Amino acid sequence: MSIPLERARTRRPITWLTILGVILLPALIGGILVVALYNPTTRLDAMNAAIVNDDEPVTINGQTVPLGRQLTAGLVEGSDDTDSNLTWTISNAEDAAAGLADGTYAAVVTIPENFSAAATSTQPGETPEKATIEVTTPPDSRIVDDAITAQITSTAASLTGEQISTAYLENVFLGFTTLGEQLGEAADGADQIADGIQQSADGSAELASGIDQLASGAGALGSGLGTIASSTSQAAGGAAQLAAAQNQIADGLDAAPLPAAANTMYGYMQSAATGTVTVAQGAGALAQTLGTLAATCDGSPSYCQSVASAADAAATVAQNAGSAATAAGTAAGYGGQVVPGISTLISQTSGGLRQVAAQTQSLSDGLTQLAQGTTQSQSGAQSLQSGASQAATGATSLTDGLTQLASGTTDLANGLHTAVDQLPSYTDAEAASLAEVVADPVQAEGVGSDLFGASAIPLLTALALWFGALGTFIALRAFPARTLASRSPSALLALRSLAPAAAIGAIQGLLVAGIVQISAGYDWGDWSIFAGVSILAGVAFAAVNQALVAVFGGAGRWIAALIGVLAVAAGIVSTVPGVLLAIDGLMPTSPAYTAMLGALTDSGGVGAGIAGLAIWGGLGLVATILAIARKRTTSARAILASPVVS
């Protein structure tokens, strides 16, 4: 079913399908842009990233510190402030490189081997080094993928660094408390040292007095040692004379005849003992023989009785001779012991006297040496007296120095007490709280997680409606084809061509606003203002695009496309060159963006934006009227040459 509207550049009629396509064009553009770009951080799980943790944990105070593992856990777990996170895969270097090449991973985060060592290099004795991580993205990654990955990785690294700094600062603040306690102990110790030094000074004064007494005693000692040396020399002479007398006595003992007589008598004793033994043995043998004869006697009884009596007498003689031999042997034994003893006694006595004489001589020599040493001690005592006098003078100087040192130590103790009073002291809880604040002293509030900020929706809506108006006048004519022959006023002709485009623009504005509300869910009061501005923008953009085509023809559509690109360039980032920003501020998309942003935020400017849209809409209508009026004035040759004017 056709509609009585003229299609641009052709005589084919406009159908409802054409109108529906034109109406839905900005809705499709806006819907795609809003759905794809609005608050992308809620869909971060659609991005796959890999973590390569090459970190080697370090050991501090006997405790293992795996900061690479902690950073990996922080990346995987995400933040409480963000509803979504990337889909992380803990991988290795080979798999990560392959995944980055084939598109499996949108980014690879590599934690180097020295990450923990560098992050903890603030320990005493370490050279401070900043810990770094590497983020790699493929060359064909999306425009904002790098920014998202970098933001999440930087946040995780920042949190890890904050934790490290917090722990370090907590130890520092607790160190103040410990330092204060130790300085307090040092101050108390300095007080005790000062007291001890003062006591030492007092003792040094007493020492000086004692050394003076020592000097006096050393003088008396030197005098006494002189007397001792003289007496010892005399004793050495007497000992030498005694040694000579002892040697003479020993010589006399060696010359005495007593040992020779004793030896002769001992010979007689041995001979008597031997002879008596022989007699006893003979008498015993005789008694045995007579006993045998008496036992076997077969003579007269008187004879046998005589033999028996003789045997008994021989036995008696043998027994007496044995007793005598025993006595003689005993005497000889005593003699054998006495005679050598006498010789030994005389020899030992003589030798002992000679040893005593030698020792007496040694005593004489020793007394001589003692006399000499005593003389030397006398000289030493005199030197001691001189040295003691000098030591007494030094002890007096030491007393003065110790007194000054005690005074300085007291000043040190007072300074340490002052330092202790000025040092802060923290409990564990206070140190932890203060370290947390100092590690992250500045916190930004009001910073949302939306990557494009609050201006994304107004910018995308304005662009969708602008290109929707451009599409409208790609399908529709900017003015009737029979403008030249029409009897209607130019203003009426302009309004007739604008009316369907304006209606389409209003519907486009309402549809786009509805899609925005479905995606973002704004407050209904704010959204109603936004929807009204969107409808007005759709109408105003229709009027401006009509004017561009009416005035410039096909080049007007090119100009319209350029205006849309300029709006995109100026609305994404604030670092756009000032010339482009100035030109964009004069474009019809600028008041629409300002009014829409003011409707959804507290930035203001809704009234100014609406006024700007009204002015642009009015200017567009006036420009179209003037273009139509110009088109209605022509030559006959132009009429014949151009049957259809687009």
Side-chain angles (χ1 to χ4, degrees):
M1 180 180 177
S2 62
I3 301 174
L5 294 175
E6 296 181 82
R7 186 186 294 270
R9 296 182 177 275
T10 180
R11 294 184 180 275
R12 293 174 53 193
I14 295 293
T15 64
W16 284 107
L17 186 60
T18 304
I19 297 299
L20 182 61
V22 172
I23 291 174
L24 293 179
L25 177 62
L28 290 174
I29 295 174
I32 292 173
L33 291 177
V34 170
V35 170
L37 300 179
Y38 178 69
N39 202 10
T41 55
T42 61
R43 301 182 299 278
L44 293 179
D45 53 355
M47 292 181 62
N48 294 319
I51 303 174
V52 179
N53 181 20
D54 294 331
D55 178 51
E56 293 291 339
V58 295
T59 301
I60 298 177
N61 297 329
Q63 183 176 1
T64 301
V65 182
L67 295 181
R69 228 178 300 162
Q70 294 179 12
L71 177 57
T72 300
L75 287 171
V76 173
E77 293 175 2
S79 171
D80 295 336
D81 299 331
T82 303
D83 297 332
S84 181
N85 189 13
L86 303 183
T87 299
W88 293 99
T89 300
I90 300 177
S91 181
N92 54 49
E94 293 76 11
D95 175 73
L100 199 65
D102 62 21
T104 302
Y105 302 130
V108 173
V109 177
T110 302
I111 304 174
E113 180 180 357
N114 67 334
F115 181 78
S116 292
T120 58
S121 59
T122 54
Q123 298 293 322
E126 298 283 344
T127 301
E129 182 181 357
K130 182 175 291 187
T132 59
I133 59 176
E134 180 181 356
V135 180
T136 307
T137 55
D140 58 348
S141 62
R142 302 294 190 274
I143 295 176
V144 187
D145 285 359
D146 291 355
I148 293 175
T149 305
Q151 181 179 4
I152 292 176
T153 306
S154 298
T155 300
S158 176
L159 290 176
T160 303
E162 182 180 340
Q163 293 173 357
I164 297 172
S165 299
T166 300
Y168 176 78
L169 290 172
E170 184 175 350
N171 292 332
V172 170
F173 294 138
L174 290 177
F176 283 144
T177 302
T178 304
L179 178 60
E181 295 173 353
Q182 294 175 347
L183 286 179
E185 295 176 358
D188 295 337
D191 286 331
Q192 296 175 359
I193 292 174
D195 294 338
I197 292 175
Q198 186 59 51
Q199 294 175 3
S200 298
D202 297 338
S204 179
E206 295 176 359
L207 175 63
S209 175
I211 292 176
D212 283 333
Q213 296 176 3
L214 175 62
S216 300
L221 176 62
S223 177
L225 288 174
T227 302
I228 292 173
S230 176
S231 300
T232 304
S233 296
Q234 295 176 1
Q241 295 175 0
L242 177 60
Q246 289 170 342
N247 285 323
Q248 292 176 359
I249 293 172
D251 293 340
L253 288 175
D254 291 337
L258 183 58
N263 287 331
T264 301
M265 182 180 65
Y266 175 64
Y268 291 154
M269 285 181 169
Q270 285 181 331
S271 297
T274 302
T276 305
V277 170
T278 302
V279 172
Q281 291 175 347
L286 177 60
Q288 185 176 6
T289 301
L290 290 175
T292 302
L293 290 176
T296 58
C297 180
D298 55 358
S300 62
S302 57
Y303 174 75
C304 292
Q305 181 63 38
S306 297
V307 173
S309 298
D312 292 336
T316 302
V317 171
Q319 182 177 3
N320 292 332
S323 299
T326 300
T330 301
Y334 286 150
Q337 293 177 359
V338 169
V339 172
I342 291 173
S343 299
T344 301
L345 175 62
I346 293 173
S347 175
Q348 290 178 350
T349 303
S350 174
L353 286 173
R354 294 186 186 281
Q355 291 178 358
V356 170
Q359 292 176 354
T360 304
Q361 184 62 46
S362 297
L363 175 63
S364 175
D365 296 339
L367 289 173
T368 300
Q369 295 177 357
L370 177 61
Q372 295 173 351
T374 305
T375 302
Q376 294 176 355
S377 297
Q378 180 183 13
S379 301
Q382 293 173 349
S383 300
L384 175 63
Q385 179 183 10
S386 175
S389 299
Q390 296 176 358
T393 303
T396 302
S397 301
L398 175 62
T399 301
D400 296 338
L402 288 174
T403 302
Q404 295 177 358
L405 179 59
S407 177
T409 307
T410 301
D411 294 339
L412 172 62
N414 294 333
L416 290 174
H417 283 300
T418 302
V420 170
D421 295 337
Q422 294 178 352
L423 278 174
S425 178
Y426 304 101
T427 64
D428 291 348
E430 291 172 343
S433 177
L434 183 58
E436 183 177 354
V437 173
V438 174
D440 187 18
V442 180
Q443 182 176 359
E445 295 184 354
V447 179
S449 59
D450 189 354
L451 185 64
F452 291 100
S455 63
I457 292 296
L459 177 62
L460 296 178
T461 301
L463 289 174
L465 294 177
W466 178 258
F467 284 107
L470 174 60
T472 297
F473 283 99
I474 292 176
L476 301 181
R477 292 183 62 88
F479 52 85
R482 297 184 179 273
T483 297
L484 185 60
S486 176
R487 295 182 179 181
S488 300
S490 298
L492 183 59
L493 293 176
L495 289 173
R496 285 177 181 175
S497 298
L498 176 61
I504 292 173
I507 297 173
Q508 289 173 340
L510 184 60
L511 286 176
V512 173
I515 293 174
V516 167
Q517 181 64 2
I518 293 173
S519 300
Y522 288 108
D523 177 77
W524 284 103
D526 296 338
W527 178 81
S528 60
I529 298 174
F530 175 79
V533 173
S534 298
I535 293 172
L536 177 60
V539 174
F541 289 169
V544 175
N545 275 275
Q546 180 190 22
L548 290 173
V549 175
V551 174
F552 300 104
R557 299 185 183 94
W558 185 87
I559 295 173
L562 187 61
I563 292 174
V565 172
L566 181 62
V568 172
I572 291 180
V573 65
S574 298
T575 57
V576 177
V579 174
L580 294 181
L581 289 176
I583 296 174
D584 179 70
L586 301 176
M587 295 297 102
T589 53
S590 179
Y593 168 78
T594 301
M596 292 176 185
L597 183 63
L600 298 179
T601 66
D602 57 358
S603 64
V606 176
I610 292 175
L613 286 174
I615 292 173
W616 272 106
L619 291 176
L621 180 59
V622 171
T624 301
I625 293 172
L626 294 176
I628 291 175
R630 183 172 60 84
K631 293 291 183 180
R632 302 181 78 175
T633 303
T634 185
S635 62
R637 181 181 298 178
I639 294 175
L640 295 174
S642 180
V644 178
V645 179
S646 60

